[in-house]
Amino acid sequence: MDYSLHARIRAGDPEAFRELFRAHAQLVFRHAVRVSGDRSTAEDVVSLTFLEAWRLRAKLRDEGETPRPWVMGIAVNVLRNTARAARRHAVALTRLPAKDTVPDFVDELVGRMADAEELAAAGRALRRLRRGERDVFTLCVWSGLSYSEAAQALGVPVGTVRSRLSRTRTRLRALAAEELAAGRRGPYERRGPYERMEPVGGSGQEQGGRTRAARSGEETDR
């Protein structure tokens, strides 16, 4: 197997790093967008990932046909550090006067999911997963890494990736359904596409598409 690219990266060959960036920058960006839900954060993650790759170039080993697992392993760690920094920043912001919120771009960038409610529920469910489950799911399902590549990226056995992904799919479906149901509950309950919203537990009872309270009002007017 030809490991010339690996050797050139370890040697600090600028052209080899340009090849590495061209081959994997978009993959890192898409992964970071889906995990963080923010385009600006994803751009920072790409920059930090390849800066780390340059710093850690001597640790690239001759494993596999491509350095993709190595790059994505670095990206996963960068995302973890970025998330911790974001949480610290959010805590700091709570001490400042409230400002108008700026909408994120997750629906635009991950627009293949047509239902915004389902997307939001899936995002909330994903955040409820354990870190190891979330990493395996995002690498294998969202970023298309094979079991062996994900195992290399995360530093775990292939069997762990397989079992963890299977368990995570089942758990994520249940959590997403739970989050979707919770998001749709509230002071009003959806009756049908052309019927008005009725308060949950309200005094009016529907009968023939109209409430008994409304009918009583009409009889009083006669």
Side-chain angles (χ1 to χ4, degrees), residues 214-222:
R215 180 174 295 171
S216 299
E218 290 179 359
E219 292 174 352
T220 301
D221 292 338
R222 289 177 185 171

Side-chain angles (χ1 to χ4, degrees), residues 6-7 9 50 53-54 56 68 86 90 96 105 132 140 159 182 202 211:
H6 298 66
I9 290 172
F50 285 95
W54 174 262
L56 300 173
R68 181 169 75 162
L96 300 176
F105 297 92
C140 292
T211 64

Side-chain angles (χ1 to χ4, degrees), residues 10-156:
R10 284 195 299 269
D13 181 352
E15 183 56 36
F17 260 81
R18 279 192 284 271
E19 290 180 31
L20 186 73
F21 183 85
R22 286 193 295 265
H24 303 296
Q26 280 301 311
L27 176 64
V28 173
F29 177 77
R30 290 193 299 269
H31 182 80
V33 164
R34 286 165 169 165
V35 172
S36 69
D38 182 77
R39 184 187 184 92
S40 178
T41 298
E43 291 172 346
D44 290 341
V45 168
V46 171
S47 299
L48 292 170
T49 295
F50 285 95
L51 283 172
E52 275 293 280
W54 174 262
R55 188 177 69 85
L56 300 173
R57 62 190 182 277
K59 296 185 177 182
L60 174 61
R61 294 180 292 179
D62 292 335
E63 293 182 0
E65 298 179 357
T66 169
R68 181 169 75 162
W70 178 68
V71 171
M72 293 305 294
I74 295 173
V76 167
N77 287 329
V78 168
L79 274 163
R80 288 174 183 168
N81 294 335
T82 302
R84 281 194 290 266
R87 286 193 292 270
R88 289 195 295 268
H89 181 65
V91 171
L93 287 179
T94 61
R95 303 187 182 100
L96 300 176
K99 296 182 179 180
D100 293 335
T101 58
V102 178
D104 61 38
F105 297 92
V106 68
D107 287 334
E108 174 187 346
L109 296 171
V110 198
R112 292 186 180 182
M113 295 181 68
D115 191 326
E117 287 185 358
E118 290 182 2
L119 177 60
R124 292 193 299 271
L126 193 66
R127 288 190 289 273
R128 291 175 60 185
L129 294 175
R130 300 181 185 90
R131 188 177 70 181
E133 295 172 335
R134 187 166 56 247
D135 289 344
V136 165
F137 181 84
T138 54
L139 285 175
C140 292
V141 177
W142 278 352
S143 296
L145 269 67
S146 66
Y147 292 139
S148 59
E149 287 177 327
Q152 186 180 339
L154 299 174
V156 298

